[in-house]
Amino acid sequence: QQQVKQSPQSLIVQKGGISIINCAYENTAFDYFPWYQQFPGKGPALLIAIRPDVSEKKEGRFTISFNKSAKQFSLHIMDSQPGDSATYFCAASETRWGQNFVFGPGTRLSVLP
Amino acid sequence: DAGVTQSPTHLIKTRGQQVTLRCSPKSGHDTVSWYQQALGQGPQFIFQYYEEEERQRGNFPDRFSGHQFPNYSSELNVNALLLGDSALYLCASSFPAGSTDTQYFGPGTRLTVL
């Protein structure tokens, strides 16, 4: 019930291409869905986040698509760059519990030059 | 504005020992959460401190304990270390508790248990 599933485990994209990472959850009480980017040896850094009252949110090259009925959400990285090569984590939380995040297992993205 | 800071950066301990990790939250933040990130996995929630009290706890044994000080900084203590405790320990801060603001993570402390 608390699990967040994430796919693919790894992803290789050519420079300029679109990277798509998918996540799914079961707990309908989740109401906050952030995506984090993590480089080796660093802590996760917030990329973009969404709440269930909207179906899409865009910030620069990053877009979250949210499907409440399917309990799925995805991250799209447009015009992927080699500097985007990192591990990406989706997460979910119930705000009323003070944002205790449940993380997906991560997707290792490699963008080839 | 300093972000979340953690110390030490790296730590090597042997089985059975005890360890203390430290965290200073981002300026203005009053809530501190601790996560364990095993190699190749996503972070797992250990516990959260607010107003110097443990407010939430994940599925971790009592060997994991913590403390929050009046200046909002926090410590994570792990007793009777096991090999499986080797991981990156992340501290995250947020303010105010339960708001739309998200959690900001520190760089982590890499703990190796031999």
Side-chain angles (χ1 to χ4, degrees), chain A residues 6 21 34-40 42-48 61-62 75 77 81-91 103 107 109 111, chain B residues 37 43 90 105-106:
Chain A
Q6 183 173 346
I21 304 170
W35 283 89
Y36 281 85
Q37 178 190 57
Q38 186 175 30
F39 292 103
K42 304 291 185 181
L46 176 68
L47 264 182
I48 186 172
R61 296 185 295 109
F62 301 94
L75 175 69
I77 305 174
Q81 299 297 312
D84 296 331
S85 297
T87 300
Y88 292 80
F89 295 96
C90 61
F103 282 84
T107 295
L109 172 64
V111 182
Chain B
Q37 185 177 22
L90 296 163
F105 283 83

PDB file of all heavy atoms in Angstrom, chain A residues 6 21 34-40 42-48 61-62 75 77 81-91 103 107 109 111, chain B residues 37 43 90 105-106:
ATOM      1  N   GLN A   6       8.511   2.238  -9.892  1.00  0.00           N
ATOM      2  CA  GLN A   6       9.141   3.145 -10.852  1.00  0.00           C
ATOM      3  C   GLN A   6       9.785   2.335 -11.963  1.00  0.00           C
ATOM      4  O   GLN A   6      10.393   1.289 -11.725  1.00  0.00           O
ATOM      5  CB  GLN A   6      10.205   3.991 -10.140  1.00  0.00           C
ATOM      6  CG  GLN A   6      10.885   5.030 -11.007  1.00  0.00           C
ATOM      7  CD  GLN A   6      11.810   5.950 -10.223  1.00  0.00           C
ATOM      8  OE1 GLN A   6      11.776   5.992  -8.991  1.00  0.00           O
ATOM      9  NE2 GLN A   6      12.630   6.709 -10.924  1.00  0.00           N
ATOM     10  N   ILE A  21      10.092   8.750 -17.633  1.00  0.00           N
ATOM     11  CA  ILE A  21      10.174   7.853 -16.476  1.00  0.00           C
ATOM     12  C   ILE A  21       8.780   7.778 -15.862  1.00  0.00           C
ATOM     13  O   ILE A  21       8.118   8.804 -15.691  1.00  0.00           O
ATOM     14  CB  ILE A  21      11.184   8.364 -15.446  1.00  0.00           C
ATOM     15  CG1 ILE A  21      12.563   8.566 -16.089  1.00  0.00           C
ATOM     16  CG2 ILE A  21      11.299   7.381 -14.278  1.00  0.00           C
ATOM     17  CD1 ILE A  21      13.563   9.284 -15.207  1.00  0.00           C
ATOM     18  N   PRO A  34       6.617  14.587  -5.704  1.00  0.00           N
ATOM     19  CA  PRO A  34       7.812  15.273  -6.194  1.00  0.00           C
ATOM     20  C   PRO A  34       8.709  14.322  -6.986  1.00  0.00           C
ATOM     21  O   PRO A  34       8.650  13.102  -6.827  1.00  0.00           O
ATOM     22  CB  PRO A  34       8.505  15.711  -4.905  1.00  0.00           C
ATOM     23  CG  PRO A  34       8.145  14.649  -3.922  1.00  0.00           C
ATOM     24  CD  PRO A  34       6.770  14.134  -4.319  1.00  0.00           C
ATOM     25  N   TRP A  35       9.541  14.910  -7.820  1.00  0.00           N
ATOM     26  CA  TRP A  35      10.607  14.184  -8.497  1.00  0.00           C
ATOM     27  C   TRP A  35      11.934  14.783  -8.033  1.00  0.00           C
ATOM     28  O   TRP A  35      12.085  16.008  -7.971  1.00  0.00           O
ATOM     29  CB  TRP A  35      10.487  14.332 -10.019  1.00  0.00           C
ATOM     30  CG  TRP A  35       9.429  13.486 -10.616  1.00  0.00           C
ATOM     31  CD1 TRP A  35       8.108  13.800 -10.802  1.00  0.00           C
ATOM     32  CD2 TRP A  35       9.586  12.154 -11.128  1.00  0.00           C
ATOM     33  NE1 TRP A  35       7.442  12.762 -11.392  1.00  0.00           N
ATOM     34  CE2 TRP A  35       8.318  11.734 -11.605  1.00  0.00           C
ATOM     35  CE3 TRP A  35      10.672  11.278 -11.250  1.00  0.00           C
ATOM     36  CZ2 TRP A  35       8.113  10.484 -12.180  1.00  0.00           C
ATOM     37  CZ3 TRP A  35      10.461  10.041 -11.821  1.00  0.00           C
ATOM     38  CH2 TRP A  35       9.193   9.657 -12.280  1.00  0.00           C
ATOM     39  N   TYR A  36      12.874  13.873  -7.728  1.00  0.00           N
ATOM     40  CA  TYR A  36      14.191  14.297  -7.288  1.00  0.00           C
ATOM     41  C   TYR A  36      15.249  13.783  -8.261  1.00  0.00           C
ATOM     42  O   TYR A  36      15.117  12.715  -8.850  1.00  0.00           O
ATOM     43  CB  TYR A  36      14.493  13.754  -5.893  1.00  0.00           C
ATOM     44  CG  TYR A  36      13.830  14.534  -4.779  1.00  0.00           C
ATOM     45  CD1 TYR A  36      12.526  14.262  -4.396  1.00  0.00           C
ATOM     46  CD2 TYR A  36      14.515  15.554  -4.125  1.00  0.00           C
ATOM     47  CE1 TYR A  36      11.924  14.979  -3.374  1.00  0.00           C
ATOM     48  CE2 TYR A  36      13.921  16.280  -3.104  1.00  0.00           C
ATOM     49  CZ  TYR A  36      12.620  15.993  -2.738  1.00  0.00           C
ATOM     50  OH  TYR A  36      12.025  16.716  -1.738  1.00  0.00           O
ATOM     51  N   GLN A  37      16.304  14.573  -8.401  1.00  0.00           N
ATOM     52  CA  GLN A  37      17.455  14.220  -9.223  1.00  0.00           C
ATOM     53  C   GLN A  37      18.650  14.049  -8.284  1.00  0.00           C
ATOM     54  O   GLN A  37      18.883  14.890  -7.405  1.00  0.00           O
ATOM     55  CB  GLN A  37      17.726  15.359 -10.215  1.00  0.00           C
ATOM     56  CG  GLN A  37      18.925  15.168 -11.120  1.00  0.00           C
ATOM     57  CD  GLN A  37      19.244  16.468 -11.879  1.00  0.00           C
ATOM     58  OE1 GLN A  37      19.473  17.518 -11.290  1.00  0.00           O
ATOM     59  NE2 GLN A  37      19.246  16.394 -13.200  1.00  0.00           N
ATOM     60  N   GLN A  38      19.391  12.969  -8.485  1.00  0.00           N
ATOM     61  CA  GLN A  38      20.535  12.727  -7.617  1.00  0.00           C
ATOM     62  C   GLN A  38      21.769  12.377  -8.441  1.00  0.00           C
ATOM     63  O   GLN A  38      21.745  11.442  -9.243  1.00  0.00           O
ATOM     64  CB  GLN A  38      20.243  11.597  -6.616  1.00  0.00           C
ATOM     65  CG  GLN A  38      21.354  11.396  -5.587  1.00  0.00           C
ATOM     66  CD  GLN A  38      20.993  10.351  -4.542  1.00  0.00           C
ATOM     67  OE1 GLN A  38      20.257   9.419  -4.823  1.00  0.00           O
ATOM     68  NE2 GLN A  38      21.512  10.511  -3.330  1.00  0.00           N
ATOM     69  N   PHE A  39      22.831  13.138  -8.211  1.00  0.00           N
ATOM     70  CA  PHE A  39      24.118  12.850  -8.831  1.00  0.00           C
ATOM     71  C   PHE A  39      24.949  12.021  -7.853  1.00  0.00           C
ATOM     72  O   PHE A  39      24.746  12.081  -6.638  1.00  0.00           O
ATOM     73  CB  PHE A  39      24.843  14.146  -9.185  1.00  0.00           C
ATOM     74  CG  PHE A  39      24.171  14.929 -10.283  1.00  0.00           C
ATOM     75  CD1 PHE A  39      23.407  16.045  -9.995  1.00  0.00           C
ATOM     76  CD2 PHE A  39      24.284  14.530 -11.607  1.00  0.00           C
ATOM     77  CE1 PHE A  39      22.777  16.761 -11.003  1.00  0.00           C
ATOM     78  CE2 PHE A  39      23.659  15.240 -12.617  1.00  0.00           C
ATOM     79  CZ  PHE A  39      22.896  16.350 -12.313  1.00  0.00           C
ATOM     80  N   PRO A  40      25.896  11.235  -8.374  1.00  0.00           N
ATOM     81  CA  PRO A  40      26.724  10.400  -7.491  1.00  0.00           C
ATOM     82  C   PRO A  40      27.387  11.207  -6.383  1.00  0.00           C
ATOM     83  O   PRO A  40      27.955  12.269  -6.623  1.00  0.00           O
ATOM     84  CB  PRO A  40      27.756   9.811  -8.456  1.00  0.00           C
ATOM     85  CG  PRO A  40      27.075   9.795  -9.775  1.00  0.00           C
ATOM     86  CD  PRO A  40      26.217  11.035  -9.798  1.00  0.00           C
ATOM     87  N   LYS A  42      25.980  12.854  -4.037  1.00  0.00           N
ATOM     88  CA  LYS A  42      25.200  14.018  -3.612  1.00  0.00           C
ATOM     89  C   LYS A  42      23.847  13.583  -3.064  1.00  0.00           C
ATOM     90  O   LYS A  42      23.387  12.475  -3.314  1.00  0.00           O
ATOM     91  CB  LYS A  42      24.977  14.971  -4.794  1.00  0.00           C
ATOM     92  CG  LYS A  42      26.241  15.438  -5.481  1.00  0.00           C
ATOM     93  CD  LYS A  42      27.051  16.354  -4.598  1.00  0.00           C
ATOM     94  CE  LYS A  42      28.254  16.916  -5.353  1.00  0.00           C
ATOM     95  NZ  LYS A  42      29.086  17.796  -4.506  1.00  0.00           N
ATOM     96  N   GLY A  43      23.215  14.500  -2.322  1.00  0.00           N
ATOM     97  CA  GLY A  43      21.864  14.233  -1.877  1.00  0.00           C
ATOM     98  C   GLY A  43      20.865  14.528  -2.984  1.00  0.00           C
ATOM     99  O   GLY A  43      21.176  15.231  -3.943  1.00  0.00           O
ATOM    100  N   PRO A  44      19.664  13.991  -2.887  1.00  0.00           N
ATOM    101  CA  PRO A  44      18.630  14.260  -3.899  1.00  0.00           C
ATOM    102  C   PRO A  44      18.265  15.740  -3.931  1.00  0.00           C
ATOM    103  O   PRO A  44      18.175  16.383  -2.884  1.00  0.00           O
ATOM    104  CB  PRO A  44      17.448  13.415  -3.430  1.00  0.00           C
ATOM    105  CG  PRO A  44      18.027  12.399  -2.503  1.00  0.00           C
ATOM    106  CD  PRO A  44      19.208  13.063  -1.850  1.00  0.00           C
ATOM    107  N   ALA A  45      18.041  16.275  -5.119  1.00  0.00           N
ATOM    108  CA  ALA A  45      17.641  17.670  -5.297  1.00  0.00           C
ATOM    109  C   ALA A  45      16.280  17.716  -5.976  1.00  0.00           C
ATOM    110  O   ALA A  45      16.056  17.010  -6.975  1.00  0.00           O
ATOM    111  CB  ALA A  45      18.671  18.416  -6.123  1.00  0.00           C
ATOM    112  N   LEU A  46      15.389  18.533  -5.445  1.00  0.00           N
ATOM    113  CA  LEU A  46      14.040  18.629  -6.002  1.00  0.00           C
ATOM    114  C   LEU A  46      14.083  19.185  -7.421  1.00  0.00           C
ATOM    115  O   LEU A  46      14.700  20.205  -7.694  1.00  0.00           O
ATOM    116  CB  LEU A  46      13.175  19.537  -5.133  1.00  0.00           C
ATOM    117  CG  LEU A  46      11.756  19.788  -5.659  1.00  0.00           C
ATOM    118  CD1 LEU A  46      10.948  18.499  -5.592  1.00  0.00           C
ATOM    119  CD2 LEU A  46      11.087  20.890  -4.853  1.00  0.00           C
ATOM    120  N   LEU A  47      13.371  18.493  -8.319  1.00  0.00           N
ATOM    121  CA  LEU A  47      13.248  18.943  -9.706  1.00  0.00           C
ATOM    122  C   LEU A  47      11.926  19.656  -9.921  1.00  0.00           C
ATOM    123  O   LEU A  47      11.877  20.789 -10.373  1.00  0.00           O
ATOM    124  CB  LEU A  47      13.283  17.734 -10.639  1.00  0.00           C
ATOM    125  CG  LEU A  47      14.595  17.327 -11.282  1.00  0.00           C
ATOM    126  CD1 LEU A  47      14.354  16.127 -12.192  1.00  0.00           C
ATOM    127  CD2 LEU A  47      15.197  18.475 -12.062  1.00  0.00           C
ATOM    128  N   ILE A  48      10.854  18.964  -9.622  1.00  0.00           N
ATOM    129  CA  ILE A  48       9.513  19.456  -9.900  1.00  0.00           C
ATOM    130  C   ILE A  48       8.546  18.616  -9.083  1.00  0.00           C
ATOM    131  O   ILE A  48       8.835  17.469  -8.752  1.00  0.00           O
ATOM    132  CB  ILE A  48       9.212  19.350 -11.426  1.00  0.00           C
ATOM    133  CG1 ILE A  48       7.893  19.991 -11.798  1.00  0.00           C
ATOM    134  CG2 ILE A  48       9.300  17.904 -11.900  1.00  0.00           C
ATOM    135  CD1 ILE A  48       7.671  20.059 -13.316  1.00  0.00           C
ATOM    136  N   ARG A  61      12.411  22.404 -19.116  1.00  0.00           N
ATOM    137  CA  ARG A  61      12.405  21.185 -19.931  1.00  0.00           C
ATOM    138  C   ARG A  61      11.746  20.003 -19.221  1.00  0.00           C
ATOM    139  O   ARG A  61      11.638  18.920 -19.813  1.00  0.00           O
ATOM    140  CB  ARG A  61      13.854  20.810 -20.291  1.00  0.00           C
ATOM    141  CG  ARG A  61      14.561  21.844 -21.159  1.00  0.00           C
ATOM    142  CD  ARG A  61      15.954  21.384 -21.594  1.00  0.00           C
ATOM    143  NE  ARG A  61      16.890  21.237 -20.478  1.00  0.00           N
ATOM    144  CZ  ARG A  61      17.333  20.063 -20.036  1.00  0.00           C
ATOM    145  NH1 ARG A  61      16.919  18.928 -20.597  1.00  0.00           N
ATOM    146  NH2 ARG A  61      18.212  20.028 -19.045  1.00  0.00           N
ATOM    147  N   PHE A  62      11.328  20.196 -17.987  1.00  0.00           N
ATOM    148  CA  PHE A  62      10.768  19.109 -17.187  1.00  0.00           C
ATOM    149  C   PHE A  62       9.243  19.237 -17.080  1.00  0.00           C
ATOM    150  O   PHE A  62       8.726  20.304 -16.769  1.00  0.00           O
ATOM    151  CB  PHE A  62      11.387  19.110 -15.786  1.00  0.00           C
ATOM    152  CG  PHE A  62      12.886  18.960 -15.796  1.00  0.00           C
ATOM    153  CD1 PHE A  62      13.704  20.074 -15.768  1.00  0.00           C
ATOM    154  CD2 PHE A  62      13.470  17.708 -15.861  1.00  0.00           C
ATOM    155  CE1 PHE A  62      15.081  19.946 -15.791  1.00  0.00           C
ATOM    156  CE2 PHE A  62      14.853  17.568 -15.887  1.00  0.00           C
ATOM    157  CZ  PHE A  62      15.663  18.683 -15.854  1.00  0.00           C
ATOM    158  N   LEU A  75       7.545  11.561 -15.486  1.00  0.00           N
ATOM    159  CA  LEU A  75       8.432  12.693 -15.707  1.00  0.00           C
ATOM    160  C   LEU A  75       8.900  12.651 -17.147  1.00  0.00           C
ATOM    161  O   LEU A  75       9.377  11.610 -17.610  1.00  0.00           O
ATOM    162  CB  LEU A  75       9.628  12.634 -14.761  1.00  0.00           C
ATOM    163  CG  LEU A  75      10.710  13.695 -14.970  1.00  0.00           C
ATOM    164  CD1 LEU A  75      10.189  15.077 -14.573  1.00  0.00           C
ATOM    165  CD2 LEU A  75      11.972  13.342 -14.178  1.00  0.00           C
ATOM    166  N   ILE A  77      11.520  14.577 -19.724  1.00  0.00           N
ATOM    167  CA  ILE A  77      12.625  15.527 -19.865  1.00  0.00           C
ATOM    168  C   ILE A  77      12.803  15.782 -21.355  1.00  0.00           C
ATOM    169  O   ILE A  77      13.204  14.878 -22.104  1.00  0.00           O
ATOM    170  CB  ILE A  77      13.935  14.986 -19.255  1.00  0.00           C
ATOM    171  CG1 ILE A  77      13.714  14.594 -17.796  1.00  0.00           C
ATOM    172  CG2 ILE A  77      15.036  16.042 -19.358  1.00  0.00           C
ATOM    173  CD1 ILE A  77      14.929  13.922 -17.154  1.00  0.00           C
ATOM    174  N   GLN A  81      19.953  16.462 -22.160  1.00  0.00           N
ATOM    175  CA  GLN A  81      21.345  16.869 -22.290  1.00  0.00           C
ATOM    176  C   GLN A  81      22.254  15.935 -21.488  1.00  0.00           C
ATOM    177  O   GLN A  81      21.814  15.353 -20.494  1.00  0.00           O
ATOM    178  CB  GLN A  81      21.522  18.298 -21.799  1.00  0.00           C
ATOM    179  CG  GLN A  81      20.717  19.334 -22.557  1.00  0.00           C
ATOM    180  CD  GLN A  81      21.132  19.430 -24.013  1.00  0.00           C
ATOM    181  OE1 GLN A  81      22.325  19.523 -24.325  1.00  0.00           O
ATOM    182  NE2 GLN A  81      20.152  19.407 -24.923  1.00  0.00           N
ATOM    183  N   PRO A  82      23.515  15.808 -21.887  1.00  0.00           N
ATOM    184  CA  PRO A  82      24.429  14.959 -21.107  1.00  0.00           C
ATOM    185  C   PRO A  82      24.478  15.332 -19.625  1.00  0.00           C
ATOM    186  O   PRO A  82      24.633  14.458 -18.778  1.00  0.00           O
ATOM    187  CB  PRO A  82      25.777  15.197 -21.801  1.00  0.00           C
ATOM    188  CG  PRO A  82      25.412  15.513 -23.215  1.00  0.00           C
ATOM    189  CD  PRO A  82      24.137  16.307 -23.121  1.00  0.00           C
ATOM    190  N   GLY A  83      24.293  16.604 -19.304  1.00  0.00           N
ATOM    191  CA  GLY A  83      24.272  17.048 -17.914  1.00  0.00           C
ATOM    192  C   GLY A  83      23.066  16.555 -17.130  1.00  0.00           C
ATOM    193  O   GLY A  83      23.042  16.667 -15.903  1.00  0.00           O
ATOM    194  N   ASP A  84      22.079  15.998 -17.838  1.00  0.00           N
ATOM    195  CA  ASP A  84      20.907  15.421 -17.170  1.00  0.00           C
ATOM    196  C   ASP A  84      21.182  14.007 -16.685  1.00  0.00           C
ATOM    197  O   ASP A  84      20.344  13.414 -15.990  1.00  0.00           O
ATOM    198  CB  ASP A  84      19.711  15.387 -18.124  1.00  0.00           C
ATOM    199  CG  ASP A  84      19.254  16.776 -18.556  1.00  0.00           C
ATOM    200  OD1 ASP A  84      19.433  17.734 -17.782  1.00  0.00           O
ATOM    201  OD2 ASP A  84      18.716  16.896 -19.692  1.00  0.00           O
ATOM    202  N   SER A  85      22.337  13.454 -17.069  1.00  0.00           N
ATOM    203  CA  SER A  85      22.669  12.089 -16.669  1.00  0.00           C
ATOM    204  C   SER A  85      22.786  12.017 -15.150  1.00  0.00           C
ATOM    205  O   SER A  85      23.649  12.654 -14.540  1.00  0.00           O
ATOM    206  CB  SER A  85      23.983  11.655 -17.321  1.00  0.00           C
ATOM    207  OG  SER A  85      23.860  11.626 -18.724  1.00  0.00           O
ATOM    208  N   ALA A  86      21.897  11.260 -14.543  1.00  0.00           N
ATOM    209  CA  ALA A  86      21.780  11.190 -13.083  1.00  0.00           C
ATOM    210  C   ALA A  86      20.775  10.095 -12.765  1.00  0.00           C
ATOM    211  O   ALA A  86      20.216   9.462 -13.665  1.00  0.00           O
ATOM    212  CB  ALA A  86      21.309  12.526 -12.514  1.00  0.00           C
ATOM    213  N   THR A  87      20.526   9.891 -11.480  1.00  0.00           N
ATOM    214  CA  THR A  87      19.458   8.985 -11.057  1.00  0.00           C
ATOM    215  C   THR A  87      18.251   9.813 -10.642  1.00  0.00           C
ATOM    216  O   THR A  87      18.395  10.803  -9.911  1.00  0.00           O
ATOM    217  CB  THR A  87      19.917   8.086  -9.893  1.00  0.00           C
ATOM    218  OG1 THR A  87      21.034   7.303 -10.328  1.00  0.00           O
ATOM    219  CG2 THR A  87      18.800   7.145  -9.473  1.00  0.00           C
ATOM    220  N   TYR A  88      17.103   9.428 -11.130  1.00  0.00           N
ATOM    221  CA  TYR A  88      15.863  10.153 -10.857  1.00  0.00           C
ATOM    222  C   TYR A  88      14.946   9.306  -9.982  1.00  0.00           C
ATOM    223  O   TYR A  88      14.747   8.117 -10.234  1.00  0.00           O
ATOM    224  CB  TYR A  88      15.166  10.523 -12.165  1.00  0.00           C
ATOM    225  CG  TYR A  88      15.955  11.545 -12.952  1.00  0.00           C
ATOM    226  CD1 TYR A  88      17.042  11.151 -13.729  1.00  0.00           C
ATOM    227  CD2 TYR A  88      15.646  12.898 -12.892  1.00  0.00           C
ATOM    228  CE1 TYR A  88      17.804  12.083 -14.425  1.00  0.00           C
ATOM    229  CE2 TYR A  88      16.391  13.836 -13.591  1.00  0.00           C
ATOM    230  CZ  TYR A  88      17.470  13.420 -14.346  1.00  0.00           C
ATOM    231  OH  TYR A  88      18.219  14.348 -15.029  1.00  0.00           O
ATOM    232  N   PHE A  89      14.404   9.945  -8.963  1.00  0.00           N
ATOM    233  CA  PHE A  89      13.496   9.277  -8.038  1.00  0.00           C
ATOM    234  C   PHE A  89      12.147   9.984  -8.042  1.00  0.00           C
ATOM    235  O   PHE A  89      12.083  11.207  -7.905  1.00  0.00           O
ATOM    236  CB  PHE A  89      14.040   9.308  -6.609  1.00  0.00           C
ATOM    237  CG  PHE A  89      15.306   8.531  -6.407  1.00  0.00           C
ATOM    238  CD1 PHE A  89      16.545   9.162  -6.458  1.00  0.00           C
ATOM    239  CD2 PHE A  89      15.269   7.168  -6.156  1.00  0.00           C
ATOM    240  CE1 PHE A  89      17.712   8.453  -6.267  1.00  0.00           C
ATOM    241  CE2 PHE A  89      16.434   6.444  -5.968  1.00  0.00           C
ATOM    242  CZ  PHE A  89      17.655   7.086  -6.022  1.00  0.00           C
ATOM    243  N   CYS A  90      11.089   9.207  -8.178  1.00  0.00           N
ATOM    244  CA  CYS A  90       9.779   9.751  -7.891  1.00  0.00           C
ATOM    245  C   CYS A  90       9.477   9.479  -6.422  1.00  0.00           C
ATOM    246  O   CYS A  90      10.077   8.584  -5.808  1.00  0.00           O
ATOM    247  CB  CYS A  90       8.711   9.133  -8.790  1.00  0.00           C
ATOM    248  SG  CYS A  90       8.511   7.344  -8.605  1.00  0.00           S
ATOM    249  N   ALA A  91       8.584  10.240  -5.860  1.00  0.00           N
ATOM    250  CA  ALA A  91       8.204  10.063  -4.463  1.00  0.00           C
ATOM    251  C   ALA A  91       6.749  10.465  -4.293  1.00  0.00           C
ATOM    252  O   ALA A  91       6.155  11.093  -5.178  1.00  0.00           O
ATOM    253  CB  ALA A  91       9.105  10.896  -3.546  1.00  0.00           C
ATOM    254  N   PHE A 103       9.723   6.807  -1.512  1.00  0.00           N
ATOM    255  CA  PHE A 103      10.457   6.945  -2.765  1.00  0.00           C
ATOM    256  C   PHE A 103      10.337   5.700  -3.633  1.00  0.00           C
ATOM    257  O   PHE A 103      10.247   4.577  -3.125  1.00  0.00           O
ATOM    258  CB  PHE A 103      11.944   7.187  -2.499  1.00  0.00           C
ATOM    259  CG  PHE A 103      12.274   8.597  -2.096  1.00  0.00           C
ATOM    260  CD1 PHE A 103      12.156   9.000  -0.784  1.00  0.00           C
ATOM    261  CD2 PHE A 103      12.714   9.509  -3.041  1.00  0.00           C
ATOM    262  CE1 PHE A 103      12.457  10.298  -0.407  1.00  0.00           C
ATOM    263  CE2 PHE A 103      13.031  10.812  -2.676  1.00  0.00           C
ATOM    264  CZ  PHE A 103      12.896  11.210  -1.353  1.00  0.00           C
ATOM    265  N   THR A 107      15.608   5.609 -11.281  1.00  0.00           N
ATOM    266  CA  THR A 107      15.919   5.338 -12.689  1.00  0.00           C
ATOM    267  C   THR A 107      17.245   6.009 -13.008  1.00  0.00           C
ATOM    268  O   THR A 107      17.382   7.220 -12.816  1.00  0.00           O
ATOM    269  CB  THR A 107      14.825   5.896 -13.625  1.00  0.00           C
ATOM    270  OG1 THR A 107      13.605   5.213 -13.391  1.00  0.00           O
ATOM    271  CG2 THR A 107      15.244   5.749 -15.085  1.00  0.00           C
ATOM    272  N   LEU A 109      19.503   7.496 -15.554  1.00  0.00           N
ATOM    273  CA  LEU A 109      19.433   8.054 -16.901  1.00  0.00           C
ATOM    274  C   LEU A 109      20.823   8.386 -17.414  1.00  0.00           C
ATOM    275  O   LEU A 109      21.599   9.046 -16.734  1.00  0.00           O
ATOM    276  CB  LEU A 109      18.579   9.327 -16.900  1.00  0.00           C
ATOM    277  CG  LEU A 109      18.572  10.134 -18.201  1.00  0.00           C
ATOM    278  CD1 LEU A 109      17.939   9.336 -19.337  1.00  0.00           C
ATOM    279  CD2 LEU A 109      17.849  11.465 -18.001  1.00  0.00           C
ATOM    280  N   VAL A 111      22.457  10.170 -20.807  1.00  0.00           N
ATOM    281  CA  VAL A 111      22.217  10.900 -22.044  1.00  0.00           C
ATOM    282  C   VAL A 111      23.516  10.931 -22.832  1.00  0.00           C
ATOM    283  O   VAL A 111      24.511  11.501 -22.384  1.00  0.00           O
ATOM    284  CB  VAL A 111      21.725  12.326 -21.772  1.00  0.00           C
ATOM    285  CG1 VAL A 111      21.444  13.046 -23.098  1.00  0.00           C
ATOM    286  CG2 VAL A 111      20.473  12.305 -20.905  1.00  0.00           C
TER     287      VAL A 111
ATOM    288  N   GLN B  37      19.598   5.459   2.616  1.00  0.00           N
ATOM    289  CA  GLN B  37      19.631   5.095   1.208  1.00  0.00           C
ATOM    290  C   GLN B  37      20.709   4.043   0.986  1.00  0.00           C
ATOM    291  O   GLN B  37      21.903   4.354   0.980  1.00  0.00           O
ATOM    292  CB  GLN B  37      19.881   6.308   0.313  1.00  0.00           C
ATOM    293  CG  GLN B  37      19.799   5.992  -1.171  1.00  0.00           C
ATOM    294  CD  GLN B  37      19.970   7.199  -2.070  1.00  0.00           C
ATOM    295  OE1 GLN B  37      20.544   8.211  -1.675  1.00  0.00           O
ATOM    296  NE2 GLN B  37      19.459   7.115  -3.284  1.00  0.00           N
ATOM    297  N   PRO B  43      15.771   6.367  -1.194  1.00  0.00           N
ATOM    298  CA  PRO B  43      15.818   6.632   0.249  1.00  0.00           C
ATOM    299  C   PRO B  43      14.619   6.014   0.973  1.00  0.00           C
ATOM    300  O   PRO B  43      13.507   6.003   0.430  1.00  0.00           O
ATOM    301  CB  PRO B  43      15.781   8.160   0.328  1.00  0.00           C
ATOM    302  CG  PRO B  43      16.252   8.639  -1.014  1.00  0.00           C
ATOM    303  CD  PRO B  43      15.771   7.614  -1.977  1.00  0.00           C
ATOM    304  N   LEU B  90      20.699  10.310   4.829  1.00  0.00           N
ATOM    305  CA  LEU B  90      20.302  11.627   4.346  1.00  0.00           C
ATOM    306  C   LEU B  90      19.432  12.333   5.370  1.00  0.00           C
ATOM    307  O   LEU B  90      18.546  11.725   5.976  1.00  0.00           O
ATOM    308  CB  LEU B  90      19.518  11.502   3.040  1.00  0.00           C
ATOM    309  CG  LEU B  90      20.266  10.934   1.847  1.00  0.00           C
ATOM    310  CD1 LEU B  90      19.299  10.477   0.765  1.00  0.00           C
ATOM    311  CD2 LEU B  90      21.225  11.979   1.291  1.00  0.00           C
ATOM    312  N   PHE B 105      17.164  18.169   0.800  1.00  0.00           N
ATOM    313  CA  PHE B 105      18.081  17.169   1.312  1.00  0.00           C
ATOM    314  C   PHE B 105      19.502  17.701   1.437  1.00  0.00           C
ATOM    315  O   PHE B 105      19.955  18.515   0.631  1.00  0.00           O
ATOM    316  CB  PHE B 105      18.095  15.941   0.392  1.00  0.00           C
ATOM    317  CG  PHE B 105      16.899  15.055   0.547  1.00  0.00           C
ATOM    318  CD1 PHE B 105      15.712  15.345  -0.105  1.00  0.00           C
ATOM    319  CD2 PHE B 105      16.957  13.932   1.362  1.00  0.00           C
ATOM    320  CE1 PHE B 105      14.598  14.531   0.048  1.00  0.00           C
ATOM    321  CE2 PHE B 105      15.860  13.112   1.517  1.00  0.00           C
ATOM    322  CZ  PHE B 105      14.674  13.408   0.866  1.00  0.00           C
ATOM    323  N   GLY B 106      20.206  17.190   2.431  1.00  0.00           N
ATOM    324  CA  GLY B 106      21.621  17.442   2.559  1.00  0.00           C
ATOM    325  C   GLY B 106      22.411  16.465   1.710  1.00  0.00           C
ATOM    326  O   GLY B 106      21.834  15.590   1.061  1.00  0.00           O
TER     327      GLY B 106
END
